[in-house]
Every structure is written in C-alpha cells, then in structure tokens.
Amino acid sequence: MLDIIHTALRLQADPARVVVRPFHIPIEASATAGQPGRVRRIADAVLALDDEEAELELELVLRDFEARHWQTRAVFLTRYDAIREALKLESAKISNVKRQLIGAYFCHEYSYAAAALMNPSVVPHPDQSGLSEGAVRIAMSLRAVGEGHISSIAFREGILGPGPVLDLMPEPPFATAADGATDEANGAIRVRRHHDSSLSGTVLFPMTAAQSKGLEDLRLVRFVHDDGTPEWLGTYTAYNGASIRSELMRTFDFRAFTLAPMGGSAARNKGMALFPRKVGGQYLMIGRQDGENVFLLRSDRLDQWGEGELLLTPKYPWEMVQLGNCGSPIELDEGWLLLTHGVGAMRKYSIGAVLLDKENPSKVLGRTSAPLLAPMDADREGYVPNVVYSCGGIRHRDLLFLPYGVADSSVAFAFVSIASMIEAMG
C-alpha cells in the first residue's frame, strides 16, 4: 500500500496579484489622413499640458496605483523610454513629470493569476546555505493563467523538512515582471529579474511572437553538465494562439533567464522533459510526439530533438486514452523514476510512476498498475474538472515531494514514500 502524506497547504488563483505591464498600441499613422497616429496624439497631448496640469494628472494616477505596485514611477519611466525611442522625442525638453505621465498612458495593470494557478514543478534552490540538517531549500515554478487565458510562469521559494514538512516563503506584497529583454543567438531572448525583487515575486511573461498567447507547463530540472557545473533548465510550451512549439529556459541563478526555441521534429510537440544529466554520452528527453504514447529521445545537443523510440503505451484502464510525463526523471539508486500522467474514462487525469533502468533508460523495470494520485471528490471541481497533474517532483531523502495541480485551478502538495512506490510497481 502506498504511503502518501498530503499537506494542508493549498495555493489558489488570486486576482489581487497584479503587475504593471506595457499597454501596446500600434505606432502607426492615423486612419484619418493628415492626423497623427494614436500614440503620437497621446504623447503630444501630454506635452501640451502646462506643468501644473501634468503634475496634477500624474498625482491622480499615482493615487490609484502607486500603493498597489513596486517602483511604479520607475516602471512608467522605463515605458516612456520605449515610446521616446519610437517617436524620436527630445527628452531634454521634457520634464520628469511628463515623462512619467506619458509612460503611464502606455501601461496597464494585469492580474496574472486571476483565472488559474496550476501545473507546478520543483527543483533544489541554487542557495542551500543556512539550513538545518535534513532540510533543503526549493524553487518551484507555477503556471499562472490570467486575462485572455494567457499563461505566464510564476515562482515560489520554500524549505522542505526535515521530514515530510513544507514551509513556503511568504509572497512579497508586489509582483514584478522579469524584463530588460535582449536578443540572443538563434531566436533566443534573455530577461532579468529586478535586482531588488525576490524570486517569489517574479513573473516571466510571453515576450516573443511564438510565445504571445502563453508560456505553459514549465518542467524544471537541475541539470549537471559533464564538468560538474549545475544549470537549472526547463522545457515549456510556447503558444501563439494558433501553433505550439517546445522551448528551453536556462538559468544558473534564477536572476537571469534565457528563453530559447528548440529545433527538430520532436520540438513541434508539447510535454518534453529533460533527464538531469547525460546518459551514455547523450542528452535524453522524455517526449510525446503522437499525443498518445511516451517516447525516449536522444540528442547530442540540448536544442535539437528528432524522433525518439517508443517507451510506453497505455496499458491500464486509468491511462487508456493517453499517456504523458509529469516532469523530468528522478535519479534513484534503483533506476530512473519517471512520473506519468494517464487519461482514462470521462477524461480523468491521474498520476502514476515508472522505473527505468539507470544505464539503459529504454528498459522499463517497473510500472504502477494503479495511480499514485487521482482526482477525489474534494479535488474534482475547478476550471478543468477531474484533473491532477504535475510538471515535476523532487527526491527528499527517502520521500518523493510532489506538488501537483488540481482541476487546473489550484496547487496541492504530497509526500510519497519512494520505497512503497517501488514496491507497488509490477
């Protein structure tokens, strides 16, 4: 019998969690001949105000929003800089008050987790200092869904243990968007969290055309390179409203993030999960090219993934519709622990587990015939009913710590005895 400990903690969607984001109005000519475009018209209207009027208008804006956001004035000035460059404004002739006011007209408040909070993954935090024996600091990613059903990536920090105990660090009162995007090679971008913002207060928003409608289901893993250097990697789905592709997030410290597209036929699909190290001299990935079965992919490069070999097909009633992974494989003495999701009758999502051979992961050593976790009565209702789903757990001594989404609406947490899980595999 599986030994599972559920925590009382539950994370919910929260419409009060807001950030200031750019409000994009196309910078183009007016539809009316001889008239300025809307962006130019707004900027000119602010510049035409006398200093007293401009100061009064800015005070009204700040009265409504400054207490709700962190460094509101700095955000307005950053947005002004983008408008200034587009319109070729002469900043030397524009007061600081009018610069802020122009920036305010091209910002808006966005509730990034108003609709749903779901599909978490977890990794050891880069900073493990100052902990008691048996404790580990964690970094957790969450899929936050806001206005327009657009998904972004939020984070929470916390401490596990000693034992089956989770202590999440408090969220800061203000959330901030990682920004300062710079272009990298091969279509990648690099963004940074603000130097004064905690990871728990940082949100990664879509930044490119391919990501415009969402960054979905980040699967984090602490990857150890051949020279022993750790890097925190995460595969996720970029969605533009019409098509999807898999991309790779890379970071060494959760302060600067590179978001890069991946190539190859397998990257045209979602749900890819990277092994935490090379095996047999190659990078390995779990994929789901056909949306039905689980495949093992091999590559000599992190950014190129072709067709893999069939690893798992639906076998039990709870997974008869389709199979997929629930995050990166976890290395144990006994082999690679792969968490899976299975879809059964009435499109019910459950979580199971598979044990793969450590030297030859194409060999399946064991498989749970019944789910580890399945939607129960209290967990069935939500944005998408009858779903439990995870994007990755972590080994915590002799336990598996598993954060998981419930009904695409909230996030719950469980500890599972690894020994009892392996014992349950046929």
Side-chain angles (χ1 to χ4, degrees):
M1 181 177 177
L2 282 173
D3 182 9
I4 301 178
I5 300 171
H6 295 272
T7 71
L9 179 63
R10 179 72 63 91
L11 301 182
Q12 305 282 354
D14 183 1
R17 297 293 293 177
V18 292
V19 296
V20 176
R21 297 213 63 207
F23 174 45
H24 292 287
I25 300 174
I27 298 177
E28 58 190 15
S30 172
T32 304
Q35 297 296 317
R38 184 157 45 142
V39 175
R40 171 68 70 177
R41 175 181 60 77
I42 294 169
D44 287 348
V46 173
L47 295 175
L49 297 173
D50 63 38
D51 291 344
E52 186 176 343
E53 289 176 314
E55 190 165 345
L56 178 60
E57 290 301 323
L58 180 61
E59 286 178 359
L60 290 173
V61 173
L62 294 174
R63 186 180 66 189
D64 284 341
F65 296 103
E66 189 169 29
R68 290 167 58 84
H69 299 283
W70 182 70
Q71 295 198 341
T72 310
R73 294 171 182 264
V75 173
F76 290 168
L77 288 172
T78 298
R79 189 68 180 119
Y80 161 79
D81 285 338
I83 301 302
R84 172 192 54 77
E85 184 175 346
L87 297 182
K88 308 302 181 187
L89 300 176
E90 296 184 49
S91 283
K93 299 180 180 180
I94 303 174
S95 70
N96 189 55
V97 167
K98 289 186 178 180
R99 293 180 198 182
Q100 292 180 57
L101 189 54
I102 289 173
Y105 275 101
F106 299 99
C107 291
H108 73 124
E109 199 172 62
Y110 182 79
S111 181
Y112 64 89
L117 196 67
M118 57 189 180
N119 301 357
S121 68
V122 63
V123 286
H125 197 287
D127 179 12
Q128 294 296 323
S129 62
L131 297 175
S132 59
E133 179 68 24
V136 60
R137 185 173 288 111
I138 59 170
M140 183 169 59
S141 70
L142 301 153
R143 178 178 170 185
V145 184
E147 178 185 345
H149 196 73
I150 294 175
S151 295
S152 56
I153 299 168
F155 297 97
R156 289 295 298 269
E157 297 166 284
I159 296 175
L160 297 180
V165 176
L166 168 64
D167 183 16
L168 281 185
M169 308 308 292
E171 283 185 304
F174 304 119
T176 59
D179 206 349
T182 56
D183 293 331
E184 303 276 305
N186 302 316
I189 61 168
R190 187 173 177 82
V191 298
R192 294 167 179 80
R193 92 174 198 238
H194 194 281
H195 57 82
D196 288 331
S197 177
S198 71
L199 181 60
S200 293
T202 298
V203 186
L204 299 183
F205 285 104
M207 300 287 285
T208 68
Q211 305 166 356
S212 58
K213 294 299 181 182
L215 304 174
E216 301 178 356
D217 297 346
L218 179 66
R219 286 162 161 82
L220 284 173
V221 64
R222 181 184 183 273
F223 186 90
V224 179
H225 292 280
D226 289 343
D227 63 359
T229 301
E231 183 179 11
W232 282 259
L233 306 177
T235 53
Y236 61 91
T237 301
Y239 177 55
N240 67 5
S243 62
I244 61 170
R245 73 180 186 192
S246 285
E247 297 189 347
L248 184 68
M249 187 208 79
R250 308 183 68 158
T251 183
F252 288 97
D253 53 12
F254 286 93
R255 291 188 175 274
F257 306 84
T258 298
L259 306 176
M262 294 192 293
S265 56
R268 292 194 293 266
N269 300 287
K270 61 170 62 178
M272 301 177 73
L274 184 68
F275 278 65
R277 63 173 175 85
K278 284 183 176 179
V279 179
Q282 289 186 300
Y283 299 104
L284 266 60
M285 187 87 79
I286 298 295
R288 198 185 70 184
Q289 288 98 305
D290 60 3
E292 181 181 349
N293 304 293
V294 173
F295 291 77
L296 178 66
L297 288 63
R298 304 175 190 269
S299 179
D300 295 323
R301 295 172 49 179
L302 276 170
D303 60 352
Q304 289 288 328
W305 297 93
E307 297 300 314
E309 59 182 297
L310 184 64
L311 181 65
L312 297 166
T313 61
K315 180 178 180 180
Y316 301 108
W318 61 273
E319 58 184 19
M320 198 61 68
V321 175
Q322 68 188 49
L323 272 174
N325 70 72
C326 272
S328 293
I330 299 167
E331 188 167 8
L332 308 175
D333 292 340
E334 297 85 352
W336 295 103
L337 175 65
L338 174 64
L339 298 175
T340 63
H341 68 263
V343 182
M346 292 295 292
R347 196 174 173 267
K348 179 180 176 181
Y349 276 70
S350 302
I351 297 175
V354 173
L355 188 66
L356 307 177
D357 186 84
K358 188 175 290 192
E359 302 302 322
N360 179 18
S362 64
K363 182 180 179 182
V364 178
L365 302 180
R367 183 172 179 174
T368 56
S369 58
L372 304 178
L373 291 172
M376 305 299 288
D377 289 345
D379 292 335
R380 293 180 63 177
E381 310 302 334
Y383 192 66
V384 179
N386 303 308
V387 172
V388 292
Y389 192 92
S390 179
C391 287
I394 187 175
R395 181 181 183 178
H396 179 48
R397 300 212 167 192
D398 58 349
L399 299 171
L400 169 72
F401 171 64
L402 182 61
Y404 61 98
V406 177
D408 278 9
S409 299
S410 62
V411 173
F413 306 94
F415 292 88
V416 185
S417 162
I418 291 175
S420 68
M421 188 166 26
I422 292 176
E423 185 179 352
M425 293 182 181

